[in-house]
Protein backbone atom coordinates (compact mmCIF):
# COMPACT_ATOMS: atom_id res chain seq x y z
CA UNK A 1 0.00 0.00 0.00
CA UNK A 2 2.76 2.44 0.91
CA UNK A 3 4.44 2.00 -2.48
CA UNK A 4 1.22 2.83 -4.34
CA UNK A 5 0.75 5.94 -2.21
CA UNK A 6 4.34 7.00 -2.84
CA UNK A 7 3.92 6.45 -6.60
CA UNK A 8 0.64 8.38 -6.73
CA UNK A 9 2.18 11.18 -4.65
CA UNK A 10 5.21 11.43 -6.99
CA UNK A 11 2.86 11.53 -9.99
CA UNK A 12 0.74 14.22 -8.33
CA UNK A 13 3.80 16.32 -7.46
CA UNK A 14 5.13 16.05 -11.02
CA UNK A 15 1.78 17.20 -12.39
CA UNK A 16 1.60 20.07 -9.91
CA UNK A 17 5.12 21.16 -10.85
CA UNK A 18 4.18 21.07 -14.55
CA UNK A 19 1.00 23.10 -14.00
CA UNK A 20 2.94 25.60 -11.88
CA UNK A 21 5.59 26.10 -14.58
CA UNK A 22 3.00 26.41 -17.34
CA UNK A 23 0.90 28.84 -15.32
CA UNK A 24 3.93 31.06 -14.68
CA UNK A 25 4.78 30.98 -18.40
CA UNK A 26 1.32 32.29 -19.37
CA UNK A 27 2.51 35.90 -19.02
CA UNK A 28 4.86 35.29 -21.94
CA UNK A 29 2.08 34.01 -24.24
CA UNK A 30 -0.23 36.22 -26.31
CA UNK A 31 -3.36 35.88 -28.40
CA UNK A 32 -4.23 32.37 -29.65
CA UNK A 33 -1.03 30.90 -28.20
CA UNK A 34 -2.08 32.14 -24.75
CA UNK A 35 -5.55 30.65 -25.17
CA UNK A 36 -4.00 27.29 -26.17
CA UNK A 37 -1.59 27.43 -23.22
CA UNK A 38 -4.50 28.08 -20.86
CA UNK A 39 -6.34 25.07 -22.30
CA UNK A 40 -3.26 22.87 -21.73
CA UNK A 41 -2.96 24.17 -18.16
CA UNK A 42 -6.62 23.39 -17.52
CA UNK A 43 -6.14 19.83 -18.81
CA UNK A 44 -3.03 19.36 -16.66
CA UNK A 45 -4.86 20.72 -13.64
CA UNK A 46 -7.70 18.25 -14.24
CA UNK A 47 -5.13 15.43 -14.38
CA UNK A 48 -3.60 16.69 -11.13
CA UNK A 49 -7.04 16.60 -9.51
CA UNK A 50 -7.46 12.99 -10.66
CA UNK A 51 -4.06 12.10 -9.20
CA UNK A 52 -5.12 13.85 -6.00
CA UNK A 53 -8.20 11.61 -5.91
CA UNK A 54 -5.99 8.51 -6.17
CA UNK A 55 -3.75 9.81 -3.38
CA UNK A 56 -6.80 10.53 -1.25
CA UNK A 57 -8.11 6.98 -1.72
CA UNK A 58 -4.73 5.55 -0.70
CA UNK A 59 -4.49 7.84 2.34
CA UNK A 60 -7.97 6.85 3.50
CA UNK A 61 -6.98 3.19 3.18
CA UNK A 62 -3.99 3.64 5.51
CA UNK A 63 -4.15 2.31 9.05
CA UNK A 64 -5.44 4.91 11.50
CA UNK A 65 -1.99 5.35 13.08
CA UNK A 66 -0.46 6.42 9.72
CA UNK A 67 -3.43 8.33 8.36
CA UNK A 68 -2.85 11.67 10.19
CA UNK A 69 0.42 12.41 8.39
CA UNK A 70 -1.10 11.44 5.06
CA UNK A 71 -4.09 13.70 5.66
CA UNK A 72 -1.79 16.66 6.40
CA UNK A 73 0.11 16.07 3.17
CA UNK A 74 -3.19 15.69 1.31
CA UNK A 75 -4.38 19.00 2.74
CA UNK A 76 -1.19 20.70 1.51
CA UNK A 77 -1.67 19.25 -1.99
CA UNK A 78 -5.29 20.47 -2.04
CA UNK A 79 -4.10 23.95 -1.11
CA UNK A 80 -1.55 23.89 -3.95
CA UNK A 81 -4.24 22.84 -6.42
CA UNK A 82 -6.55 25.60 -5.16
CA UNK A 83 -3.80 28.20 -5.58
CA UNK A 84 -2.99 26.98 -9.09
CA UNK A 85 -6.69 26.99 -9.99
CA UNK A 86 -6.96 30.60 -8.77
CA UNK A 87 -3.91 31.62 -10.85
CA UNK A 88 -5.39 29.91 -13.89
CA UNK A 89 -8.74 31.56 -13.32
CA UNK A 90 -7.07 35.00 -13.21
CA UNK A 91 -5.39 34.18 -16.53
CA UNK A 92 -8.71 33.11 -18.06
CA UNK A 93 -10.47 36.23 -16.79
CA UNK A 94 -7.75 38.51 -18.13
CA UNK A 95 -7.79 36.85 -21.56
CA UNK A 96 -10.88 38.63 -22.97
CA UNK A 97 -9.77 41.93 -21.45
CA UNK A 98 -6.35 41.60 -23.05
CA UNK A 99 -7.91 40.72 -26.41
CA UNK A 100 -10.33 43.65 -26.19
CA UNK A 101 -7.51 46.02 -25.39
CA UNK A 102 -5.39 44.59 -28.17
CA UNK A 103 -2.74 43.25 -25.86
CA UNK A 104 -1.67 40.44 -28.11
CA UNK A 105 1.53 42.21 -29.15
CA UNK A 106 4.53 40.93 -27.15
CA UNK A 107 6.29 44.33 -27.19
CA UNK A 108 3.19 46.13 -25.98
CA UNK A 109 2.64 43.51 -23.31
CA UNK A 110 6.25 43.92 -22.15
CA UNK A 111 5.74 47.69 -21.98
CA UNK A 112 2.53 47.22 -20.00
CA UNK A 113 4.26 44.75 -17.70
CA UNK A 114 7.04 47.30 -17.13
CA UNK A 115 4.49 50.03 -16.40
CA UNK A 116 2.72 47.69 -14.00
CA UNK A 117 5.99 46.93 -12.22
CA UNK A 118 6.82 50.66 -11.99
CA UNK A 119 3.38 51.39 -10.58
CA UNK A 120 3.85 48.57 -8.08
CA UNK A 121 7.23 49.98 -7.05
CA UNK A 122 5.68 53.45 -6.62
CA UNK A 123 2.89 51.96 -4.55
CA UNK A 124 5.41 50.17 -2.32
CA UNK A 125 7.41 53.39 -1.90
CA UNK A 126 4.24 55.30 -1.00
CA UNK A 127 3.30 52.56 1.46
CA UNK A 128 6.75 52.79 3.08
CA UNK A 129 6.49 56.59 3.36
CA UNK A 130 3.02 56.28 4.85
CA UNK A 131 4.24 53.77 7.42
CA UNK A 132 7.17 56.04 8.32
CA UNK A 133 4.80 59.01 8.67
CA UNK A 134 2.45 56.99 10.83
CA UNK A 135 5.35 55.92 13.00
CA UNK A 136 6.43 59.59 13.39
CA UNK A 137 2.87 60.60 14.30
CA UNK A 138 2.71 57.88 16.95
CA UNK A 139 6.05 59.02 18.37
CA UNK A 140 4.83 62.63 18.42
CA UNK A 141 1.59 61.62 20.15
CA UNK A 142 3.59 59.68 22.74
CA UNK A 143 5.85 62.72 23.30
CA UNK A 144 2.80 64.99 23.72
CA UNK A 145 1.28 62.59 26.25
CA UNK A 146 4.55 62.44 28.21
CA UNK A 147 4.86 66.24 28.10
CA UNK A 148 1.32 66.65 29.38
CA UNK A 149 2.03 64.19 32.18
CA UNK A 150 5.22 66.05 33.18
CA UNK A 151 3.40 69.40 32.97
CA UNK A 152 0.62 68.12 35.23
CA UNK A 153 3.21 66.88 37.75
CA UNK A 154 4.99 70.26 37.70
CA UNK A 155 1.67 72.08 38.20
CA UNK A 156 0.93 69.80 41.15
CA UNK A 157 4.35 70.54 42.66
CA UNK A 158 3.89 74.29 42.16
CA UNK A 159 0.47 74.17 43.82
CA UNK A 160 1.96 72.33 46.80
CA UNK A 161 4.80 74.87 47.02
CA UNK A 162 2.28 77.74 46.85
CA UNK A 163 0.35 76.20 49.70
CA UNK A 164 3.57 75.85 51.70
CA UNK A 165 4.50 79.51 51.01
CA UNK A 166 1.00 80.71 51.92
CA UNK A 167 1.10 78.72 55.15
CA UNK A 168 4.59 80.04 56.00
CA UNK A 169 3.50 83.60 55.25
CA UNK A 170 0.47 83.17 57.53
CA UNK A 171 2.63 81.76 60.33
CA UNK A 172 5.09 84.64 59.91
CA UNK A 173 2.29 87.22 60.07
CA UNK A 174 0.79 85.61 63.16
CA UNK A 175 4.19 85.50 64.85
CA UNK A 176 4.86 89.13 63.97
CA UNK A 177 1.54 90.19 65.47
CA UNK A 178 2.34 88.45 68.75
CA UNK A 179 5.71 90.13 69.17
CA UNK A 180 5.73 93.03 71.64
CA UNK A 181 5.77 96.42 69.94
CA UNK A 182 9.25 97.22 71.21
CA UNK A 183 10.76 94.41 69.28
CA UNK A 184 9.18 95.43 66.05
CA UNK A 185 11.39 97.54 63.78
Amino acid sequence: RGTMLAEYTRELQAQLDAVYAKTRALDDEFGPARRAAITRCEADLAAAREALGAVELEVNALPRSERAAGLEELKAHKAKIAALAADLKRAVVSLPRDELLGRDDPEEAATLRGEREEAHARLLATHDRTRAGTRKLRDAARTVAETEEIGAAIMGDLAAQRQTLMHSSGVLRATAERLPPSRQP
Side-chain angles (χ1 to χ4, degrees):
R1 245 203 212 283
T3 57
M4 291 298 288
L5 176 59
E7 180 61 33
Y8 288 149
T9 302
R10 273 193 299 278
E11 180 182 330
L12 172 61
Q13 190 58 52
Q15 288 174 337
L16 288 175
D17 291 343
V19 172
Y20 179 81
K22 289 176 183 177
T23 303
R24 295 297 166 256
L26 286 176
D27 286 341
D28 298 330
E29 299 289 339
F30 306 96
R34 182 179 173 97
R35 189 174 293 280
I38 288 173
T39 302
R40 286 190 302 275
C41 282
E42 288 172 335
D44 288 347
L45 189 60
R49 284 187 174 121
E50 286 179 26
L52 179 69
V55 170
E56 189 169 14
L57 287 173
E58 289 295 319
V59 166
N60 288 331
L62 288 174
R64 194 175 278 264
S65 60
E66 300 172 20
R67 195 175 306 155
L71 289 174
E72 284 299 315
E73 189 175 337
L74 189 65
K75 186 177 178 183
H77 287 306
K78 285 181 180 181
K80 288 177 189 175
I81 285 178
L84 288 170
D87 289 347
L88 193 55
K89 185 175 182 179
R90 276 191 289 280
V92 169
V93 167
S94 71
L95 189 60
R97 180 186 62 218
D98 290 346
E99 288 174 352
L100 280 174
L101 296 174
R103 293 184 183 161
D104 55 355
D105 178 23
E107 289 179 22
E108 182 181 341
T111 301
L112 291 172
R113 192 172 19 256
E115 290 172 2
R116 195 174 347 145
E117 289 171 359
E118 288 173 11
H120 182 71
R122 284 192 307 272
L123 181 63
L124 287 176
T126 301
H127 175 71
D128 290 343
R129 284 193 306 271
T130 303
R131 287 184 71 191
T134 301
R135 191 172 27 255
K136 286 180 182 179
L137 283 174
R138 284 188 187 133
D139 290 344
R142 190 177 317 110
T143 302
V144 166
E146 290 171 0
T147 303
E148 285 178 354
E149 191 176 304
I150 292 169
I154 290 172
M155 293 299 286
D157 289 346
L158 288 175
Q161 289 174 5
R162 182 175 187 269
Q163 288 297 324
T164 303
L165 287 173
M166 295 293 281
H167 177 72
S168 298
S169 177
V171 169
L172 183 61
R173 245 183 271 121
T175 305
E177 287 175 4
R178 280 192 252 146
L179 281 177
S182 64
R183 296 256 195 175
Q184 291 184 355

